[in-house]
Amino acid sequence: MPQTLTGGCRCGATRYTLALDAMPPIYCCHCLDCQSWSGSAFSEQALIREDAITVTGPVVDYRITNASGAESHQWLCGVCHARIYNTNSARPGIAVVRAGTLDASDTVTPRTHIWVKRKQPWVTIADDVPTFAENAPPAEFIAIMMRARA
């Protein structure tokens, strides 16, 4: 039986549960889009199966078409507009949860950092965490994200 992980937005109006066996794998993205979206130096993101998330409360679906032509759905709290997760037509069945919205966000450890060529100079990344100047090659990214936790 999967454990239930919970999270939500800043104001508390939107909550979610994740039906997963363990904390999902986390990665950090330092690209300019993630810096703009998060209002910070990078975003922490958790990869999950889309069917593992159940959201309650007011949610807004903000849709954008990426340069690639893929449609991205950004799911936001309908009150405070905190971004909870996104889906993308280029990755059917996968959701990307903003790891900072997890109730246990203080327990996550990123497995990799991408777009570090845009990293703020004051951010330090541990030497044993893989980094990529831009996007990681898909097979390598998947291998890093799906490896068993030590």
Side-chain angles (χ1 to χ4, degrees), residues 96-115:
V96 182
V97 174
R98 300 300 159 264
T101 66
L102 288 161
D103 291 339
S105 64
D106 59 334
T107 67
V108 302
T109 302
R111 295 189 181 184
T112 190
H113 288 253
I114 61 174
W115 279 93

Side-chain angles (χ1 to χ4, degrees), residues 16 18 25-27 29 34 43-50 53 72-75 83-88 91 93-99 101 141 145:
Y16 64 84
L18 302 177
I26 306 296
Y27 69 97
C29 181
C34 284
S43 64
E44 292 178 295
Q45 305 182 119
L47 291 176
I48 65 165
R49 295 179 333 274
E50 188 175 3
I53 188 168
S72 178
H73 295 258
Q74 307 292 321
W75 303 96
R83 195 164 58 135
I84 304 297
Y85 75 102
N86 74 285
T87 57
N88 189 301
R91 296 181 305 275
I94 296 173
V96 182
V97 174
R98 300 300 159 264
T101 66
F141 182 77
M145 296 302 287

Side-chain angles (χ1 to χ4, degrees), residues 23-88:
M23 187 64 78
I26 306 296
Y27 69 97
C28 295
C29 181
H30 299 262
C31 78
L32 294 178
D33 286 342
C34 284
Q35 289 180 35
S36 295
W37 270 107
S38 68
S40 190
F42 57 89
S43 64
E44 292 178 295
Q45 305 182 119
L47 291 176
I48 65 165
R49 295 179 333 274
E50 188 175 3
D51 64 3
I53 188 168
T54 303
V55 180
T56 59
V59 178
V60 174
D61 175 8
Y62 174 70
R63 297 175 187 199
I64 56 175
T65 301
N66 297 326
S68 68
E71 187 173 60
S72 178
H73 295 258
Q74 307 292 321
W75 303 96
L76 318 167
C77 169
V79 176
C80 70
H81 295 235
R83 195 164 58 135
I84 304 297
Y85 75 102
N86 74 285
T87 57
N88 189 301

